[in-house]
Amino acid sequence: MVGSRRVGQLGAEVVSLVGRALGDGSGPLVVALSGGADSAVLAWALRECGWRHRAVHVHHGWPGSDRMQSAARAVADRLGLELAVVAVDTSRSGSPEAVAREARYQALERGLGTGERIVTGHTLDDQAETVLGNLLWGSGLDGLRGIHRHRPALVRPLLDVTRTQIRELAALLGLPFADDPANQDASYRRVRIRRALAGWERTLAPGIGRRLADLARLVETDLAFLDRASAAGRVESLGGSVRVAAGEIRTLPAALAARVVRRALRTIGEGYPGVRRDVDVVLRAAVDGTEGRVSGGHPVARVGAYVVIGTGDRPAGPTPTPLSVPGATRWGAWNWEAREHPGRPEVFPLSRWRQVFDARALPRSGAMVRPAGGDDRIAMARGGKRVADALSEARIPPAERPGWPVLAVGGEVLWVPGVRRAYRGWVDEDTMGYVEVEATREGRWKPVGS
């Protein structure tokens, strides 16, 4: 009878907390069913709440993964849940925990259907361990927020329930969960933090886990205010790089400038907001142009009016590519098209990205799109100009110059799109055929949301 009363009392408390965390929405849910007690109780509570849900188990390929898959299958069968199993590759370099976490969430997100949200079984103890780990790592206020309760298409409804409560309820309900052997492996940083917290609970500060979790709730309100106040600070991405406007972060109050930089670091660091030193590296580049690197090895450099993080990831320009007349070709992120016109010119350049050439200067074959060479010069009415100088004068960022194309015939540069064209090849009254050439660059910096 005591067990029955305890199931009723504790079960009602957990179901109530889960219901409040999920709000009034009614869309379908996907439970990340690990096979452990946390996600097993979450799946049970969702059923008690009347939510439509299914389960996905992610198999990490670790020594205990087969055991955890069997437990997830048993829990799903007990609760009458549809279960899908997805295997992921965790063999790439990096922290095993971080690699597994990234692979797991990517697999879950890829499998989402229309309107579905992911729910995970993270508990109050997970929150406390995350806050402490971030504090030790120096992640600032962002780190003290700990595990986010809500992300786009992601909810963590058990962050106010302790691991002890979850395990007790799972045992009372008779759920066939298993314990992941990885949770006992002290080579993982989280396991060492978990053991340290357990020791402090006994000998130093009883209740420290709950206080750390409460700290996450306290800073969440402050961070929401700072996020709104710093939302106007622009962060843009292109390929493997992000950039912030140097002038903006120089003039913003320090707290807001740091928020903008943290947003940029989260973008390039796949959610990791960096440590204080990373923020200082970016701010220093904005002030005096000092180059540096941030966590993950990403280089930081001042490029014109911007601070660019990740410039070192940009590949050099592709190999030379022929451009036939008429014809089209692709060169890196650039699309080129040449259109042939008979007779006297009727079309003249409309922008720096479109030019016309006398057909005698641009034959049907022999034109090449290639990267600029160190000795390349572009012909002018008198003499010539180094292409490198022309790129600089046009304020093409140094990080982008190795991948900037030129149009050349017989080794002579006729045009640097967006920069300058050569004097040679201009149409005149003797022109009886001409070629219109257009170069379009696909890559553009795109805004990153708050």
PDB file of all heavy atoms in Angstrom, residues 412-430:
ATOM      1  N   GLU A 412      46.669  37.219 -70.447  1.00  0.00           N
ATOM      2  CA  GLU A 412      46.399  38.623 -70.158  1.00  0.00           C
ATOM      3  C   GLU A 412      45.040  38.759 -69.467  1.00  0.00           C
ATOM      4  O   GLU A 412      44.034  38.215 -69.924  1.00  0.00           O
ATOM      5  CB  GLU A 412      46.392  39.434 -71.449  1.00  0.00           C
ATOM      6  CG  GLU A 412      46.163  40.914 -71.218  1.00  0.00           C
ATOM      7  CD  GLU A 412      46.189  41.705 -72.521  1.00  0.00           C
ATOM      8  OE1 GLU A 412      46.470  41.109 -73.584  1.00  0.00           O
ATOM      9  OE2 GLU A 412      45.917  42.925 -72.467  1.00  0.00           O
ATOM     10  N   VAL A 413      45.006  39.490 -68.364  1.00  0.00           N
ATOM     11  CA  VAL A 413      43.772  39.684 -67.614  1.00  0.00           C
ATOM     12  C   VAL A 413      42.921  40.747 -68.288  1.00  0.00           C
ATOM     13  O   VAL A 413      43.357  41.890 -68.467  1.00  0.00           O
ATOM     14  CB  VAL A 413      44.072  40.090 -66.154  1.00  0.00           C
ATOM     15  CG1 VAL A 413      42.774  40.403 -65.415  1.00  0.00           C
ATOM     16  CG2 VAL A 413      44.833  38.979 -65.440  1.00  0.00           C
ATOM     17  N   LEU A 414      41.678  40.356 -68.665  1.00  0.00           N
ATOM     18  CA  LEU A 414      40.759  41.306 -69.288  1.00  0.00           C
ATOM     19  C   LEU A 414      39.795  41.925 -68.268  1.00  0.00           C
ATOM     20  O   LEU A 414      39.342  43.056 -68.467  1.00  0.00           O
ATOM     21  CB  LEU A 414      39.934  40.613 -70.385  1.00  0.00           C
ATOM     22  CG  LEU A 414      40.677  40.103 -71.612  1.00  0.00           C
ATOM     23  CD1 LEU A 414      39.686  39.587 -72.643  1.00  0.00           C
ATOM     24  CD2 LEU A 414      41.539  41.189 -72.216  1.00  0.00           C
ATOM     25  N   TRP A 415      39.467  41.155 -67.225  1.00  0.00           N
ATOM     26  CA  TRP A 415      38.446  41.659 -66.311  1.00  0.00           C
ATOM     27  C   TRP A 415      38.586  40.998 -64.949  1.00  0.00           C
ATOM     28  O   TRP A 415      38.825  39.790 -64.848  1.00  0.00           O
ATOM     29  CB  TRP A 415      37.058  41.357 -66.891  1.00  0.00           C
ATOM     30  CG  TRP A 415      35.884  41.868 -66.097  1.00  0.00           C
ATOM     31  CD1 TRP A 415      35.819  43.009 -65.356  1.00  0.00           C
ATOM     32  CD2 TRP A 415      34.609  41.225 -65.975  1.00  0.00           C
ATOM     33  NE1 TRP A 415      34.584  43.140 -64.786  1.00  0.00           N
ATOM     34  CE2 TRP A 415      33.805  42.062 -65.152  1.00  0.00           C
ATOM     35  CE3 TRP A 415      34.048  40.064 -66.486  1.00  0.00           C
ATOM     36  CZ2 TRP A 415      32.496  41.751 -64.830  1.00  0.00           C
ATOM     37  CZ3 TRP A 415      32.742  39.755 -66.162  1.00  0.00           C
ATOM     38  CH2 TRP A 415      31.974  40.595 -65.346  1.00  0.00           C
ATOM     39  N   VAL A 416      38.442  41.812 -63.897  1.00  0.00           N
ATOM     40  CA  VAL A 416      38.315  41.326 -62.525  1.00  0.00           C
ATOM     41  C   VAL A 416      36.907  41.727 -62.074  1.00  0.00           C
ATOM     42  O   VAL A 416      36.655  42.900 -61.808  1.00  0.00           O
ATOM     43  CB  VAL A 416      39.369  41.941 -61.588  1.00  0.00           C
ATOM     44  CG1 VAL A 416      39.262  41.310 -60.199  1.00  0.00           C
ATOM     45  CG2 VAL A 416      40.766  41.763 -62.152  1.00  0.00           C
ATOM     46  N   PRO A 417      35.949  40.795 -62.037  1.00  0.00           N
ATOM     47  CA  PRO A 417      34.555  41.177 -61.778  1.00  0.00           C
ATOM     48  C   PRO A 417      34.402  41.901 -60.437  1.00  0.00           C
ATOM     49  O   PRO A 417      35.011  41.523 -59.434  1.00  0.00           O
ATOM     50  CB  PRO A 417      33.803  39.841 -61.779  1.00  0.00           C
ATOM     51  CG  PRO A 417      34.840  38.800 -61.583  1.00  0.00           C
ATOM     52  CD  PRO A 417      36.090  39.327 -62.185  1.00  0.00           C
ATOM     53  N   GLY A 418      33.568  42.939 -60.482  1.00  0.00           N
ATOM     54  CA  GLY A 418      33.343  43.724 -59.283  1.00  0.00           C
ATOM     55  C   GLY A 418      34.458  44.677 -58.950  1.00  0.00           C
ATOM     56  O   GLY A 418      34.353  45.446 -57.993  1.00  0.00           O
ATOM     57  N   VAL A 419      35.552  44.664 -59.772  1.00  0.00           N
ATOM     58  CA  VAL A 419      36.744  45.460 -59.442  1.00  0.00           C
ATOM     59  C   VAL A 419      37.132  46.387 -60.581  1.00  0.00           C
ATOM     60  O   VAL A 419      37.025  47.611 -60.488  1.00  0.00           O
ATOM     61  CB  VAL A 419      37.915  44.527 -59.068  1.00  0.00           C
ATOM     62  CG1 VAL A 419      39.192  45.326 -58.793  1.00  0.00           C
ATOM     63  CG2 VAL A 419      37.557  43.685 -57.847  1.00  0.00           C
ATOM     64  N   ARG A 420      37.594  45.821 -61.699  1.00  0.00           N
ATOM     65  CA  ARG A 420      38.078  46.636 -62.827  1.00  0.00           C
ATOM     66  C   ARG A 420      38.195  45.772 -64.068  1.00  0.00           C
ATOM     67  O   ARG A 420      38.501  44.584 -63.980  1.00  0.00           O
ATOM     68  CB  ARG A 420      39.450  47.234 -62.470  1.00  0.00           C
ATOM     69  CG  ARG A 420      40.061  48.114 -63.542  1.00  0.00           C
ATOM     70  CD  ARG A 420      41.461  48.544 -63.143  1.00  0.00           C
ATOM     71  NE  ARG A 420      41.437  49.581 -62.120  1.00  0.00           N
ATOM     72  CZ  ARG A 420      41.381  50.881 -62.372  1.00  0.00           C
ATOM     73  NH1 ARG A 420      41.323  51.305 -63.626  1.00  0.00           N
ATOM     74  NH2 ARG A 420      41.393  51.762 -61.390  1.00  0.00           N
ATOM     75  N   ARG A 421      37.978  46.405 -65.244  1.00  0.00           N
ATOM     76  CA  ARG A 421      38.226  45.724 -66.510  1.00  0.00           C
ATOM     77  C   ARG A 421      39.416  46.379 -67.200  1.00  0.00           C
ATOM     78  O   ARG A 421      39.782  47.526 -66.915  1.00  0.00           O
ATOM     79  CB  ARG A 421      37.005  45.776 -67.419  1.00  0.00           C
ATOM     80  CG  ARG A 421      36.610  47.161 -67.864  1.00  0.00           C
ATOM     81  CD  ARG A 421      35.766  47.135 -69.123  1.00  0.00           C
ATOM     82  NE  ARG A 421      36.545  46.731 -70.287  1.00  0.00           N
ATOM     83  CZ  ARG A 421      36.027  46.153 -71.361  1.00  0.00           C
ATOM     84  NH1 ARG A 421      34.721  45.897 -71.409  1.00  0.00           N
ATOM     85  NH2 ARG A 421      36.787  45.835 -72.377  1.00  0.00           N
ATOM     86  N   ALA A 422      40.019  45.625 -68.117  1.00  0.00           N
ATOM     87  CA  ALA A 422      41.161  46.149 -68.858  1.00  0.00           C
ATOM     88  C   ALA A 422      40.695  47.119 -69.940  1.00  0.00           C
ATOM     89  O   ALA A 422      39.554  47.063 -70.411  1.00  0.00           O
ATOM     90  CB  ALA A 422      41.944  45.000 -69.483  1.00  0.00           C
ATOM     91  N   TYR A 423      41.606  48.003 -70.333  1.00  0.00           N
ATOM     92  CA  TYR A 423      41.301  48.936 -71.410  1.00  0.00           C
ATOM     93  C   TYR A 423      41.139  48.179 -72.724  1.00  0.00           C
ATOM     94  O   TYR A 423      40.288  48.505 -73.547  1.00  0.00           O
ATOM     95  CB  TYR A 423      42.435  49.965 -71.535  1.00  0.00           C
ATOM     96  CG  TYR A 423      42.184  51.009 -72.584  1.00  0.00           C
ATOM     97  CD1 TYR A 423      41.328  52.078 -72.335  1.00  0.00           C
ATOM     98  CD2 TYR A 423      42.805  50.929 -73.836  1.00  0.00           C
ATOM     99  CE1 TYR A 423      41.082  53.038 -73.301  1.00  0.00           C
ATOM    100  CE2 TYR A 423      42.571  51.877 -74.804  1.00  0.00           C
ATOM    101  CZ  TYR A 423      41.718  52.940 -74.533  1.00  0.00           C
ATOM    102  OH  TYR A 423      41.475  53.882 -75.500  1.00  0.00           O
ATOM    103  N   ARG A 424      41.935  47.128 -72.902  1.00  0.00           N
ATOM    104  CA  ARG A 424      41.884  46.325 -74.120  1.00  0.00           C
ATOM    105  C   ARG A 424      40.534  45.626 -74.241  1.00  0.00           C
ATOM    106  O   ARG A 424      39.983  45.129 -73.270  1.00  0.00           O
ATOM    107  CB  ARG A 424      43.010  45.288 -74.108  1.00  0.00           C
ATOM    108  CG  ARG A 424      42.998  44.341 -75.294  1.00  0.00           C
ATOM    109  CD  ARG A 424      44.228  43.447 -75.271  1.00  0.00           C
ATOM    110  NE  ARG A 424      44.186  42.469 -76.337  1.00  0.00           N
ATOM    111  CZ  ARG A 424      43.722  41.234 -76.191  1.00  0.00           C
ATOM    112  NH1 ARG A 424      43.284  40.824 -75.031  1.00  0.00           N
ATOM    113  NH2 ARG A 424      43.715  40.387 -77.217  1.00  0.00           N
ATOM    114  N   GLY A 425      39.999  45.559 -75.464  1.00  0.00           N
ATOM    115  CA  GLY A 425      38.765  44.829 -75.716  1.00  0.00           C
ATOM    116  C   GLY A 425      37.523  45.694 -75.670  1.00  0.00           C
ATOM    117  O   GLY A 425      36.410  45.192 -75.875  1.00  0.00           O
ATOM    118  N   TRP A 426      37.702  47.011 -75.427  1.00  0.00           N
ATOM    119  CA  TRP A 426      36.526  47.881 -75.382  1.00  0.00           C
ATOM    120  C   TRP A 426      35.909  47.995 -76.776  1.00  0.00           C
ATOM    121  O   TRP A 426      36.627  48.017 -77.788  1.00  0.00           O
ATOM    122  CB  TRP A 426      36.888  49.258 -74.845  1.00  0.00           C
ATOM    123  CG  TRP A 426      35.699  50.161 -74.685  1.00  0.00           C
ATOM    124  CD1 TRP A 426      35.425  51.260 -75.424  1.00  0.00           C
ATOM    125  CD2 TRP A 426      34.619  50.003 -73.766  1.00  0.00           C
ATOM    126  NE1 TRP A 426      34.238  51.823 -75.020  1.00  0.00           N
ATOM    127  CE2 TRP A 426      33.719  51.064 -74.002  1.00  0.00           C
ATOM    128  CE3 TRP A 426      34.314  49.076 -72.772  1.00  0.00           C
ATOM    129  CZ2 TRP A 426      32.544  51.224 -73.273  1.00  0.00           C
ATOM    130  CZ3 TRP A 426      33.156  49.240 -72.061  1.00  0.00           C
ATOM    131  CH2 TRP A 426      32.281  50.308 -72.315  1.00  0.00           C
ATOM    132  N   VAL A 427      34.575  48.077 -76.838  1.00  0.00           N
ATOM    133  CA  VAL A 427      33.899  48.189 -78.128  1.00  0.00           C
ATOM    134  C   VAL A 427      33.987  49.625 -78.640  1.00  0.00           C
ATOM    135  O   VAL A 427      34.026  50.587 -77.864  1.00  0.00           O
ATOM    136  CB  VAL A 427      32.424  47.763 -78.000  1.00  0.00           C
ATOM    137  CG1 VAL A 427      32.314  46.277 -77.690  1.00  0.00           C
ATOM    138  CG2 VAL A 427      31.713  48.564 -76.909  1.00  0.00           C
ATOM    139  N   ASP A 428      34.046  49.762 -79.988  1.00  0.00           N
ATOM    140  CA  ASP A 428      34.084  51.107 -80.587  1.00  0.00           C
ATOM    141  C   ASP A 428      33.346  51.067 -81.916  1.00  0.00           C
ATOM    142  O   ASP A 428      32.654  50.099 -82.245  1.00  0.00           O
ATOM    143  CB  ASP A 428      35.526  51.591 -80.743  1.00  0.00           C
ATOM    144  CG  ASP A 428      36.380  50.614 -81.551  1.00  0.00           C
ATOM    145  OD1 ASP A 428      35.814  49.879 -82.400  1.00  0.00           O
ATOM    146  OD2 ASP A 428      37.590  50.576 -81.347  1.00  0.00           O
ATOM    147  N   GLU A 429      33.543  52.127 -82.759  1.00  0.00           N
ATOM    148  CA  GLU A 429      32.782  52.207 -84.011  1.00  0.00           C
ATOM    149  C   GLU A 429      33.174  51.132 -85.010  1.00  0.00           C
ATOM    150  O   GLU A 429      32.439  50.849 -85.970  1.00  0.00           O
ATOM    151  CB  GLU A 429      32.954  53.587 -84.643  1.00  0.00           C
ATOM    152  CG  GLU A 429      34.380  53.944 -85.060  1.00  0.00           C
ATOM    153  CD  GLU A 429      35.165  54.572 -83.929  1.00  0.00           C
ATOM    154  OE1 GLU A 429      34.692  54.524 -82.766  1.00  0.00           O
ATOM    155  OE2 GLU A 429      36.254  55.112 -84.207  1.00  0.00           O
ATOM    156  N   ASP A 430      34.339  50.494 -84.818  1.00  0.00           N
ATOM    157  CA  ASP A 430      34.760  49.437 -85.728  1.00  0.00           C
ATOM    158  C   ASP A 430      34.267  48.056 -85.295  1.00  0.00           C
ATOM    159  O   ASP A 430      34.483  47.074 -86.006  1.00  0.00           O
ATOM    160  CB  ASP A 430      36.296  49.407 -85.811  1.00  0.00           C
ATOM    161  CG  ASP A 430      36.847  50.670 -86.429  1.00  0.00           C
ATOM    162  OD1 ASP A 430      36.167  51.239 -87.307  1.00  0.00           O
ATOM    163  OD2 ASP A 430      37.952  51.091 -86.034  1.00  0.00           O
TER     164      ASP A 430
END
